[in-house]
Amino acid sequence: ARAWRPAVVARLAQTLGVTTQAMRLNWPRETFLFTLAISSVFWLWSNWITEPPLREIVNLSSTTFKDYQVNLRVPQTHKLELEFLRSGRTHEDMLRLVGHMGLCEGAVECGKGEPVTVEWELRNPDGINVIEKRRTVTSDASGFSSAEVFRNVAEIQAPPGTYILKVRFIDPSNELASVETRLALAILPKDTQSWQMATVWWGTLLLPFAALPIAIATGLLWLTRSDA
């Protein structure tokens, strides 16, 4: 009854030997593919985590509330802001309308731009329970890019989940209302209040210095062995 055991053990040892030899030969390929898979998953996950819950064109002339469904994915402070699109306007024109952000040269007076009052409410998905509400008179720029000039409205802190954000604008100047504008809600940059954002921050910082060299080295070694 036990005669088959030596044969099975021998077959198993042979199989393990073949498998070990194959792993030794294929480890560059396996390491390259594993590194590529981990990097791809991290890139997709980090983009999903940091995607702004809201970024839509708005009409500053509209004084009625408009509802936006927002999905907060991480327990982080989110920044509500206005993004004024340059759309061919001169930089000086945007500074005059949105503000200088305190960046003035010489005797030039730092203007704070045209004010606009933003009233907003954050509600549960049923739209009944108000979690937070505020009315803010906004002025001055909070940042610049080649395509937009930004203005902070508020910072919102709420547990992860789906909410209704109600927003309306009060008494903007006609000239400021003529500027194409987006309303955006996004995670504060470089803010790591949660493990998710800490992982995104450190992963983005370290991945190029770890995964990229490993992928290049094992990829070249794989190609070299394939040609041999």
Side-chain angles (χ1 to χ4, degrees), residues 31-45:
T31 304
F32 173 80
L33 294 176
F34 177 77
T35 304
L36 184 63
I38 290 295
S39 302
S40 300
V41 170
F42 174 79
W43 180 78
L44 292 171
W45 176 79

Side-chain angles (χ1 to χ4, degrees), residues 11-157:
R11 183 63 179 271
L12 180 60
Q14 182 182 4
T15 302
L16 289 175
V18 172
T19 303
T20 302
Q21 184 179 5
M23 290 178 62
R24 289 175 180 174
L25 292 174
N26 296 329
W27 74 264
R29 182 190 66 183
E30 304 299 334
T31 304
F32 173 80
L33 294 176
F34 177 77
T35 304
L36 184 63
I38 290 295
S39 302
S40 300
V41 170
F42 174 79
W43 180 78
L44 292 171
W45 176 79
S46 62
N47 280 331
W48 178 77
I49 282 290
T50 57
E51 182 182 2
L54 173 64
R55 201 176 188 213
E56 288 193 19
I57 295 291
V58 294
N59 181 9
L60 294 183
S61 300
S62 176
T63 58
T64 58
F65 275 108
K66 184 173 181 179
D67 294 358
Y68 303 92
Q69 181 173 297
V70 295
N71 182 19
L72 307 185
R73 297 190 173 106
V74 290
Q76 291 272 155
T77 300
H78 287 71
K79 176 175 62 175
L80 184 65
E81 66 180 359
L82 296 172
E83 299 176 351
F84 296 94
L85 280 64
R86 295 181 184 271
S87 301
R89 293 178 181 266
T90 65
H91 183 62
E92 290 71 22
D93 196 27
M94 296 299 291
L95 291 177
R96 179 178 60 84
L97 291 172
V98 186
H100 288 74
M101 202 176 75
L103 302 176
C104 300
E105 298 180 358
V108 178
E109 182 180 355
C110 281
K112 293 185 179 295
E114 298 286 343
V116 58
T117 301
V118 182
E119 186 174 359
W120 60 271
E121 300 176 359
L122 188 68
R123 296 172 176 255
N124 283 335
D126 56 17
I128 299 175
N129 296 325
V130 178
I131 298 172
E132 187 177 0
K133 60 185 300 184
R134 199 177 306 171
R135 175 184 288 197
T136 305
V137 179
T138 70
S139 62
D140 209 358
S142 58
F144 300 91
S145 74
S146 60
E148 303 102 354
V149 180
F150 306 95
R151 176 179 287 182
N152 286 338
V153 176
E155 292 185 0
I156 299 175
Q157 178 74 56

Side-chain angles (χ1 to χ4, degrees), residues 42-43 45-47 49-50 74 76 187-209:
F42 174 79
W43 180 78
W45 176 79
S46 62
N47 280 331
I49 282 290
T50 57
V74 290
Q76 291 272 155
I187 298 173
L188 285 174
K190 299 181 181 180
D191 187 14
T192 55
Q193 299 174 356
S194 63
W195 69 264
Q196 293 96 328
M197 287 306 298
T199 302
V200 169
W201 170 249
W202 286 109
T204 304
L205 188 65
L206 298 177
L207 203 60
F209 299 99

